[in-house]
Amino acid sequence: QKEVEQNSGPLSVPEGAIASLNCTYSDRVSQSFFWYRQYSGKSPELIMSIYSNGDKEDGRFTAQLNKASQYVSLLIRDSQPSDSATYLCAVNSGGYQKVTFGTGTKLQVIP
Amino acid sequence: EAQVTQNPRYLITVTGKKLTVTCSQNMNHEYMSWYRQDPGLGLRQIYYSMNVEVTDKGDVPEGYKVSRKEKRNFPLILESPSPNQTSLYFCASSPVEYQPQHFGDGTRLSIL
């Protein structure tokens, strides 16, 4: 069983729409959750971090965490073609020292 | 400028020839980590380090060695590289393990 699971996509949304990306994790004691964006051939860059249940908003991005259901999601409002990338979910697990990444969801924003 | 620097960026080598990929960060971060990224498998953690002289295995440590003699440096050593270690490698650092990581630009290794 994968520790962090994401739908690989591609997820296609029209420009201006809301993109919803989901991630589930298996380690109940996980405490830190991250969303990274990775353009093709580039290194991952942090979009959002979230540590407690609920929503966290930063500009067009909202991260949502539900520890009871063991999922974390990322909403991108007013999606732009420049948002087209692979989005990686990462979770601190294994006593908070190891970091486990999902395989990523590829997002395509159609102009 | 805060950064994680990896060298080399690209390397083509042959099976069995020892190689080292260097990683250096200038942010005084305690936590450093190495990942490999393969199509369909995502980023997988090879080794991580909580601080100087403190290292531990990640999910795919076989065939790799690391050392952390200085806080800023965390080299990845392949003592006897094999073709299944052909991959894209990333070094990353963070202030502590539960905070977001800052990634280097990556090293693309091809082992023939």
Side-chain angles (χ1 to χ4, degrees), chain A residues 2-3 32 34 36 38 41-46 49 51 88 92 94-104, chain B residues 9 31 35 37 40-43 45 48 50 56-59 88 90 97-101 103-106 108:
Chain A
K2 290 185 179 179
E3 295 181 25
S32 306
F34 311 97
Y36 291 86
Q38 186 177 27
K42 301 295 186 182
S43 59
E45 54 180 338
L46 180 73
S49 58
Y51 301 94
L88 305 172
N92 253 110
Y96 319 125
Q97 296 176 2
K98 287 175 59 177
V99 178
T100 303
F101 281 79
T103 53
Chain B
R9 292 289 316 280
Y31 188 84
Y35 298 89
Q37 188 171 36
L41 297 177
L43 275 165
Q45 195 171 39
Y48 60 89
M50 302 284 282
D56 207 347
K57 298 176 181 178
D59 292 320
L88 177 59
F90 288 103
E97 66 275 14
Y98 51 82
Q99 291 187 319
Q101 294 179 77
F103 284 80
D105 288 336
R108 189 167 292 280

Side-chain angles (χ1 to χ4, degrees), chain B residues 2-111:
Chain B
Q3 58 185 1
V4 177
T5 303
Q6 296 179 228
N7 281 297
R9 292 289 316 280
Y10 305 92
L11 179 63
I12 301 174
T13 188
V14 295
T15 300
K17 186 176 181 181
K18 180 180 178 180
L19 67 91
T20 299
V21 185
T22 63
C23 174
S24 181
Q25 52 94 2
N26 63 0
M27 295 166 279
N28 201 36
H29 286 171
E30 291 188 354
Y31 188 84
M32 296 187 74
S33 185
W34 275 103
Y35 298 89
R36 60 178 290 173
Q37 188 171 36
D38 303 288
L41 297 177
L43 275 165
R44 293 179 293 167
Q45 195 171 39
I46 304 171
Y47 270 96
Y48 60 89
S49 171
M50 302 284 282
N51 212 325
V52 176
E53 304 291 3
V54 181
T55 64
D56 207 347
K57 298 176 181 178
D59 292 320
V60 288
E62 296 78 19
Y64 304 95
K65 286 177 58 178
V66 294
S67 66
R68 186 95 181 270
K69 295 185 178 358
E70 302 168 287
K71 197 170 187 177
R72 62 183 293 126
N73 296 323
F74 190 44
L76 179 69
I77 303 158
L78 285 71
E79 293 267 4
S80 183
S82 62
N84 65 11
Q85 293 177 298
T86 292
S87 187
L88 177 59
Y89 291 85
F90 288 103
C91 180
S93 73
S94 61
V96 290
E97 66 275 14
Y98 51 82
Q99 291 187 319
Q101 294 179 77
H102 190 106
F103 284 80
D105 288 336
T107 296
R108 189 167 292 280
L109 283 181
S110 293
I111 300 163

